[in-house]
Amino acid sequence: MKKFKSKLLFSSVLACALMPVGMQAQEAEPAETETASEESEDSLSLSRVIVTGTLAPKEAIRSSNAVSIFSAGRLEELNPQSVGELVLSIPGFHPEPSGGDVGNNIAPRGFPLSTQTEFTALQRDGMTVFYNQDILFSQSDRFTRMSKFVESAEAVRGGSSSIFVGSAPAGYINFISREGGDTLEGDIQLETNSANRFGVDGWVSGPINDTTTFAIGGWYRADDSLRDPGFTANRGGGFNLNVKHDFANGRGFIKGEFNVQDDEAIFFLPQPLTGTTTDPATIPGGMDINDGTTGASANARFLRLNNTPNGDLNFDLQDGQSADVTYFGTKAQYELGEGWTVTNQNRYTDMFTTFNAIINVGNARSLTGIASEIFNSAPDRFAGAQGTDGTLFFEIRDTGTGILLANQDTADTLNTNGFGIDGGYFYRSVEGENFQNDLALQHTNDGFGGGVLNTTLGLFFSDIDAQVIDHRFDTLQTISPTPQRVDLIFTQVDGSAIVDDPTTAVFENGPGTFGGLLRGPDGFANVIYSETTFAPYIDFDWGVGAFDFNLGLRYETLDATGEVENAARFDLSDDGVRTDPGNPALTALPFGDGTFRSFDLTYEELAWTIAANYKVNDDLSVFARYASGFRMPDADRYQALASFDGTTADGAQAIIDFNNENRLETAPADTAIIEAGLKYRSRRLNAAVNYFFAEANDLFFNVPTVVDGAVVQRQAFRNARTHGVEGEFNINLTDAWSIDLTGTLQQPEFFDTPAAEAIDPGTGQTTFFDINGNLPVRTPELFYQARTSYEFDQFEFGDLKVFASVSGSGRRFADDANTAELSPYEIFNFGASFNLENGVYVIGEVRNAFNSEGLTEGDPRAGETVFGGTNTFNARVVNPRLVNLRLGYRF
């Protein structure tokens, strides 16, 4: 941490040193700040000056980017419960906001995903919180959170995103924090909902003196979540502070920020269902499709395994997706004179985040069948449990209490369904430090070619030290409203204990599991790495007459060094702590073996873009852009080094090729985007419509497939392209009644992609499918949102607004072979707000009012393709109905 603090201090001193001593010479007029009351009358905010996707701020209507803008008032009305819910209002970006408060997927412009936000980035005030921001199960929406301290948000789709943010070729969202103004103001809000939420969220800002302002905010919430697991599912909060000083000569400013977050949030995953993927239903006796938990429950909350090769393991589902994050930094800007301005921003982040979740690996199946699988894995050990007719005798007991739940006679009717499932306990921790610095020298040439040329020369730097640790174990769970972790114990035919050692007459039951652990899909990973990024960039923005031209380039180098720990399988069944020799649940558990393989990788990538915007008149403009971008590898790719068998010639060569950057596992993905669109504004109609073509090559997917009770990771590589049209419309039918529409119609497909593999569940044999021309997994052809609001004439004590929305997603598939279609769905929301003249306000809403049962995703762990079928499957369902109430006071 010491080296990061020294870098932060150095960059701050450097920024201040660039400011001339004479900057304190005279008083300046207070800086103007936009407030919610000053925002444009239309929800598209085409008259607003935007700062995202450009270093030459301008009106949105003159921008050559596809931009979505969320003002303070719009954010308050939308009240997104997650970043994914905000993205519902951004065309071109397809979200799956069914994972909970955090951890939601965002698929931009038809690109298929192998992680949650693979091609998009989240920023806070123009800089990412952690530069390596989409490590699997540790994605950026966990520590880039929505709160009332976020005054506005700006989203760029495609466009210049590759120039200003690395590895985000499809776009990024910038959350802009509040800053202080001339007067003291604030807002404090209490929140409750039908998930037993207690929440408080507020901010206050104002002047410290004539040249210095402050803004401070914080939030906290605790609730049972939309799918109550039987414990407090979401709890925690955050604190934000910034202080801004305007130099007395009026030529610049310096701002300091401090942010801290300590939060835990449950993650919803595909749950066991029956029926079909187009007509899903609750498994009788199982977790309800509308609001049942997906696997995490109080009955399976803790997983403890002591004295392992990696120490004592104690996992708790209540920790969920935790984020203990602190970040702070500075931003300074100064006008040097003669059109020159220097800007420097830095940020240091210290982060520890964990992922605790139950992920169903495989489909629900009969407990009797699971008993047969365990018996067949060690028939000599359990020989006494088999009757003369082949019947197996066993008990099902609750792991936590030891209570008998069923035996061989009643197992098939336990919880009505008689099912069990492999509940994979996935634990991941990411601990890291990141220092970022962005230095930009800008020059404005007023008169160049009869117009104004803004030139930016920038240098971005990032340094990361981090470690990723994975533990994955298979456990046995029931299919019940709150799933139980259970043990399966074999007995003799008469129900008595199996004779373990006839010579000593020691009698024991014949446990086929241990503390709920089951032999099945599991894994281990330990990646320790450092990443150093240098990215010089240049941006030209030339406005001449009605034209605005943009040209940008970014040349990024990434040096990644580190080591991955080799994994081995250990027998813990008779280690002095556990005296159960031969227990199949314990004989081959994966842990690190204490040996490591080193890697030293260097990447160099160029992103560039060219664009033009033509303002036909004051209210209409058209633009066109081409952008070439990239996405660098991340820590999950480095882990592939441990998968090669160094004892074979092929494996040894693979290790060499890996470190020579000749393996596709760690090759950067290349993207290209072409777009053209128009923006129009008037009193009654505001519109932004774009055509886009997006292509991504050499997309890497590490596909997990369950074979013979073990997870087999198979590398898959894809090329994908999409033609599409996206649009945003604001229609003001009257001064009081408005309608907002966003929608995307696209045709994504695979091309030039090798045949995909699938495992035939009947034979275990590999089969192949040609997927070229198919829709990428979970990528829809149509998705949309329509929102309307009506504001009544002002009452004596305040004003009343009512609003409603519907959002939907069309045809998608759970598999690349396009054999399992996911059900289209629509979600209806209704609400109203009442604002009193004394600053008190009340906002109530009902989300998913009709309890839609649409599926947002199938089972990503089922493999690249679905082959064959069973009467049960796993899928993630849209968020259930939620009633929400907010009471606040603003001043």
Side-chain angles (χ1 to χ4, degrees):
M1 181 170 176
K2 183 177 180 181
K3 75 170 185 176
F4 286 100
K5 287 183 176 178
S6 63
K7 289 177 181 176
L8 179 66
L9 179 62
F10 173 76
S11 66
S12 300
V13 171
L14 173 64
C16 294
L18 292 169
M19 315 299 173
V21 176
M23 65 190 179
Q24 305 289 344
Q26 58 184 6
E27 296 265 335
E29 291 295 322
E32 293 185 3
T33 58
E34 184 182 18
T35 66
S37 63
E38 296 169 336
E39 57 194 53
S40 174
E41 64 178 7
D42 68 281
S43 63
L44 271 63
S45 300
L46 294 177
S47 300
R48 179 176 176 136
V49 174
I50 60 171
V51 297
T52 303
T54 180
L55 290 176
K58 62 183 63 181
E59 275 190 309
I61 199 168
R62 293 201 67 146
S63 172
S64 54
N65 282 315
V67 182
S68 294
I69 301 169
F70 299 88
S71 64
R74 191 180 182 197
L75 285 175
E76 180 175 84
E77 185 172 308
L78 289 172
N79 188 32
Q81 302 293 293
S82 66
V83 172
E85 286 198 355
L86 177 68
V87 173
L88 287 170
S89 301
I90 302 176
F93 286 2
H94 179 251
E96 294 176 335
S98 55
D101 285 5
V102 298
N104 293 295
N105 303 323
I106 301 174
R109 290 182 165 175
F111 287 158
L113 300 177
S114 62
T115 54
Q116 283 94 342
T117 56
E118 190 168 4
F119 300 100
T120 53
L122 300 180
Q123 285 190 338
R124 193 67 180 258
D125 299 315
M127 182 171 277
T128 57
V129 175
F130 196 78
Y131 190 59
N132 192 330
Q133 59 181 340
D134 194 40
I135 302 171
L136 183 64
F137 297 139
S138 305
Q139 63 286 351
S140 54
D141 72 340
R142 188 180 302 182
F143 43 82
T144 311
R145 299 293 293 273
M146 299 290 300
S147 73
K148 293 185 75 66
F149 197 73
V150 174
E151 182 180 33
S152 62
E154 298 175 355
V156 172
R157 304 184 298 280
S160 60
S161 59
S162 288
I163 308 305
F164 298 110
V165 189
S167 293
Y172 66 107
I173 306 173
N174 184 20
F175 297 107
I176 301 170
S177 299
R178 297 183 183 275
E179 294 180 358
D182 298 337
T183 60
L184 186 70
E185 57 181 341
D187 189 348
I188 185 167
Q189 175 183 283
L190 299 176
E191 182 180 20
T192 188
N193 62 28
S194 54
N196 295 319
R197 168 168 291 196
F198 168 76
V200 58
D201 191 353
W203 60 273
V204 62
S205 69
I208 296 176
N209 55 41
D210 289 344
T211 58
T212 307
T213 62
F214 78 96
I216 185 171
W219 60 275
Y220 175 84
R221 64 88 177 82
D223 61 49
D224 297 333
S225 87
L226 295 165
R227 299 180 176 276
D228 186 1
F231 53 77
T232 302
N234 300 311
R235 57 179 181 173
F239 171 82
N240 309 98
L241 168 70
N242 63 61
V243 177
K244 184 177 181 181
H245 175 71
D246 293 315
F247 299 134
N249 59 5
R251 297 173 68 176
F253 67 86
I254 185 167
K255 184 173 83 168
E257 60 158 357
F258 177 80
N259 308 271
V260 63
Q261 178 185 313
D262 187 0
D263 185 59
E264 298 165 350
I266 196 171
F267 189 46
F268 302 135
L269 287 144
Q271 70 185 80
L273 298 169
T274 190
T276 67
T277 52
T278 54
D279 187 19
T282 301
I283 294 175
M287 54 281 280
D288 189 86
I289 189 173
N290 290 124
D291 58 10
T293 181
T294 61
S297 78
N299 295 325
R301 177 177 164 184
F302 300 104
L303 181 65
R304 298 187 175 99
L305 193 61
N306 296 330
N307 196 41
T308 77
N310 298 136
D312 294 342
L313 305 180
N314 294 282
F315 303 141
D316 184 353
L317 287 172
Q318 191 174 46
D319 292 341
Q321 299 184 94
S322 71
D324 185 356
V325 181
T326 299
Y327 63 97
F328 53 88
T330 65
K331 182 174 183 178
Q333 182 174 294
Y334 190 76
E335 296 177 14
L336 300 172
E338 298 185 358
W340 290 95
T341 300
V342 61
T343 303
N344 192 81
Q345 182 175 9
N346 55 53
R347 179 170 286 163
Y348 165 76
T349 300
D350 182 77
M351 179 178 74
F352 180 71
T353 178
T354 64
F355 177 85
N356 291 265
I358 297 292
I359 302 180
N360 297 311
V361 283
N363 295 329
R365 60 201 193 281
S366 75
L367 286 163
T368 301
I370 293 173
S372 295
E373 294 171 9
I374 296 174
F375 179 88
N376 291 333
S377 70
D380 293 338
R381 171 183 170 86
F382 305 121
Q386 188 170 44
T388 57
D389 61 353
T391 301
L392 293 177
F393 293 83
F394 59 89
E395 296 175 343
I396 303 294
R397 292 185 176 271
D398 179 83
T399 298
T401 65
I403 293 175
L404 178 66
L405 303 175
N407 61 22
Q408 69 284 340
D409 297 324
T410 57
D412 287 338
T413 58
L414 179 64
N415 300 313
T416 305
N417 52 71
F419 286 155
I421 195 167
D422 294 78
Y425 196 113
F426 276 50
Y427 171 86
R428 164 167 283 200
S429 68
V430 179
E431 184 172 13
E433 296 176 296
N434 180 206
F435 175 78
Q436 302 173 72
N437 194 85
D438 193 357
L439 176 65
L441 185 63
Q442 299 166 267
H443 182 255
T444 299
N445 188 333
D446 193 350
F448 180 86
V452 178
L453 175 65
N454 290 287
T455 302
T456 301
L457 302 173
L459 176 63
F460 174 82
F461 169 79
S462 171
D463 194 3
I464 292 175
D465 281 340
Q467 181 176 19
V468 179
I469 296 177
D470 279 345
H471 287 286
R472 302 191 303 274
F473 299 105
D474 192 22
T475 68
L476 179 59
Q477 286 195 177
T478 60
I479 304 299
S480 51
T482 52
Q484 290 175 276
R485 185 175 299 144
V486 294
D487 281 297
L488 192 148
I489 301 169
F490 291 98
T491 70
Q492 295 192 84
V493 174
D494 62 1
S496 61
I498 294 176
V499 178
D500 183 60
D501 187 348
T503 63
T504 61
V506 174
F507 290 81
E508 291 183 356
N509 283 337
T513 58
F514 179 86
L517 288 178
L518 182 73
R519 173 184 285 183
D522 52 24
F524 169 83
N526 181 12
V527 184
I528 304 169
Y529 68 98
S530 296
E531 290 182 344
T532 301
T533 299
F534 285 95
Y537 60 91
I538 186 168
D539 184 71
F540 299 100
D541 195 289
W542 180 38
V544 54
F547 286 95
D548 289 89
F549 299 98
N550 178 239
L551 173 66
L553 299 95
R554 180 187 185 96
Y555 180 72
E556 184 163 320
T557 62
L558 168 65
D559 291 319
T561 60
E563 55 186 6
V564 298
E565 187 173 5
N566 296 303
R569 293 196 171 269
F570 294 82
D571 185 350
L572 303 186
S573 66
D574 191 13
D575 61 352
V577 174
R578 288 157 287 263
T579 54
D580 192 8
N583 187 323
L586 297 172
T587 54
L589 290 176
F591 298 98
D593 68 2
T595 66
F596 291 82
R597 289 177 180 170
S598 299
F599 60 89
D600 187 349
L601 306 168
T602 300
Y603 298 98
E604 300 177 354
E605 289 292 318
L606 174 68
W608 65 277
T609 185
I610 187 170
N613 185 88
Y614 176 66
K615 192 173 182 181
V616 180
N617 54 48
D618 287 344
D619 299 316
L620 175 65
S621 68
V622 294
F623 79 94
R625 179 180 290 273
Y626 176 83
S628 174
F630 59 83
R631 188 192 189 281
M632 291 290 194
D634 57 38
D636 290 296
R637 308 291 183 86
Y638 308 148
Q639 173 58 28
L641 182 60
S643 65
F644 305 130
D645 184 357
T647 64
T648 67
D650 289 343
Q653 185 61 48
I655 295 171
I656 295 172
D657 292 341
F658 184 98
N659 274 300
N660 289 330
E661 296 104 40
N662 290 327
R663 295 284 304 185
L664 282 175
E665 287 92 336
T666 54
D670 297 317
T671 65
I673 296 178
I674 300 171
E675 53 190 324
L678 64 84
K679 302 181 182 76
Y680 173 75
R681 64 184 174 190
S682 69
R683 184 183 178 199
R684 295 300 183 196
L685 173 65
N686 301 276
V689 182
N690 311 307
Y691 161 80
F692 64 86
F693 170 78
E695 180 175 301
N697 296 289
D698 297 326
L699 301 177
F700 172 81
F701 292 83
N702 201 16
V703 181
T705 299
V706 180
V707 181
D708 295 331
V711 170
V712 177
Q713 300 288 346
R714 293 180 293 119
Q715 283 72 47
F717 302 93
R718 305 279 192 264
N719 299 315
R721 62 190 175 197
T722 308
H723 294 272
V725 178
E726 60 191 21
E728 293 180 272
F729 302 89
N730 166 245
I731 306 167
N732 296 302
L733 298 174
T734 68
D735 290 344
W737 185 13
S738 67
I739 297 174
D740 295 326
L741 304 172
T742 62
T744 305
L745 181 64
Q746 60 184 12
Q747 185 57 55
E749 64 176 5
F750 291 119
F751 74 99
D752 290 345
T753 293
E757 299 178 24
I759 304 298
D760 185 329
T763 65
Q765 299 298 309
T766 300
T767 186
F768 297 89
F769 291 90
D770 180 6
I771 63 172
N772 288 305
N774 286 3
L775 285 174
V777 59
R778 307 195 325 259
T779 308
E781 296 170 301
L782 171 68
F783 54 98
Y784 57 89
Q785 182 184 76
R787 187 174 182 87
T788 184
S789 65
Y790 185 85
E791 188 167 357
F792 291 89
D793 292 337
Q794 187 164 348
F795 296 95
E796 181 179 356
F797 300 107
D799 58 80
L800 173 67
K801 177 186 281 189
V802 294
F803 48 87
S805 69
V806 57
S807 56
S809 186
R811 188 175 73 129
R812 292 149 295 121
F813 291 93
D815 62 318
D816 289 339
N818 289 185
T819 61
E821 184 174 344
L822 295 171
S823 58
Y825 61 85
E826 293 180 329
I827 296 175
F828 290 85
N829 301 334
F830 303 95
S833 64
F834 189 63
N835 294 275
L836 301 178
E837 291 184 348
N838 62 4
V840 174
Y841 62 89
V842 181
I843 306 174
E845 57 190 324
V846 181
R847 296 168 179 264
N848 195 4
F850 304 128
N851 246 348
S852 169
E853 299 176 355
L855 304 182
T856 64
E857 68 173 44
D859 187 356
R861 283 144 293 278
E864 298 167 51
T865 54
V866 172
F867 187 83
T870 64
N871 61 351
T872 65
F873 61 94
N874 300 318
R876 199 162 76 179
V877 189
V878 298
N879 291 332
R881 181 188 295 119
L882 176 73
V883 180
N884 194 79
L885 179 66
R886 291 174 281 163
L887 172 65
Y889 172 68
R890 60 173 64 96
F891 58 90

